[in-house]
Each structure stands twice: as C-alpha cells, then as structure tokens.
C-alpha cells in the first residue's frame, strides 16, 4: 500500500512539473486556469482512468501531450464561462 502511495506522489510531481512548464509557456493558461485546481483535476483523472504501471512507462513527452490536451479542454470550458468579454 505504501508503494502505491509513493508511485502516486511521483505521478503528482510529474504532472505538477508539466503543468507549471506549460503554464509558463502559454499565458492563456495562467489567465484562465487556477494552477492547483488544474493539477488536482488532471491528477485525479489519471489516477482513476489510467493504471499507475502504464503511467510510469509513459515518456514525459507523451504525458506532456496528454496533459496539454487536458489543459486546452479546461481552457475552452473556462473561456466559455468568461463574462469579461
């Protein structure tokens, strides 16, 4: 059980690093998305839908592609709800 916890912590660290990098790269993410909430949502999704074993085997490049897809989806959802424009 403790091993699973360590693996989830490693996954959370990977996702956090990727989200922070992508948010620095694109200011739209910073403007519309709350970083901590976004990280939690993406982490929860991967923990529920994808096996930890599969995620550990996934390259950072591939995981970044998936995370960026999720960020774009969240950005579209948040952008639709934005009443500033």
């Amino acid at each position: 059980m403790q091993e699973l916890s360590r693996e989830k912590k490693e996954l959370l660290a990977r996702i956090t690093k990727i989200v922070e990098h992508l948010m620095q790269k694109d200011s739209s993410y910073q403007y519309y998305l709350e970083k901590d909430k976004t990280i939690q949502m993406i982490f929860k999704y991967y923990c529920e839908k994808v096996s930890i074993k599969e995620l550990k085997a996934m390259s950072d490049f591939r995981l970044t592609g998936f995370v960026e897809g999720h960020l774009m989806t969240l950005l579209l959802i948040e952008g639709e709800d934005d009443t500033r424009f």
Side-chain angles (χ1 to χ4, degrees):
M1 190 69 158
Q2 198 169 20
E3 181 69 24
L4 184 63
S5 177
R6 185 180 65 76
E7 289 176 341
K8 283 188 175 185
K9 285 180 183 179
E10 290 172 1
L11 173 61
L12 179 59
R14 283 179 75 192
I15 289 173
T16 299
K17 181 180 173 186
I18 291 168
V19 168
E20 287 174 345
H21 169 74
L22 292 171
M23 285 186 143
Q24 287 176 353
K25 193 171 104 174
D26 188 337
S27 62
S28 297
Y29 296 138
Q30 293 175 9
Y31 185 72
Y32 288 103
L33 303 175
E34 184 182 323
K35 182 179 81 172
D36 292 335
K37 183 179 175 185
T38 301
I39 291 168
Q40 286 178 338
M41 291 172 67
I42 293 172
F43 175 71
K44 182 179 178 187
Y45 172 82
Y46 281 112
C47 284
E48 291 176 358
K49 304 291 183 185
V50 185
S51 74
I52 295 292
K53 186 177 183 177
E54 187 177 347
L55 289 166
K56 282 180 72 173
M58 192 179 291
S59 70
D60 283 344
F61 181 76
R62 186 167 182 208
L63 184 58
T64 299
F66 287 127
V67 169
E68 188 164 21
H70 282 81
L71 284 174
M72 288 180 192
T73 301
L74 292 171
L75 189 63
L76 287 171
I77 293 167
E78 291 297 319
E80 288 178 357
D81 295 339
D82 191 17
T83 58
R84 289 176 276 205
F85 299 105

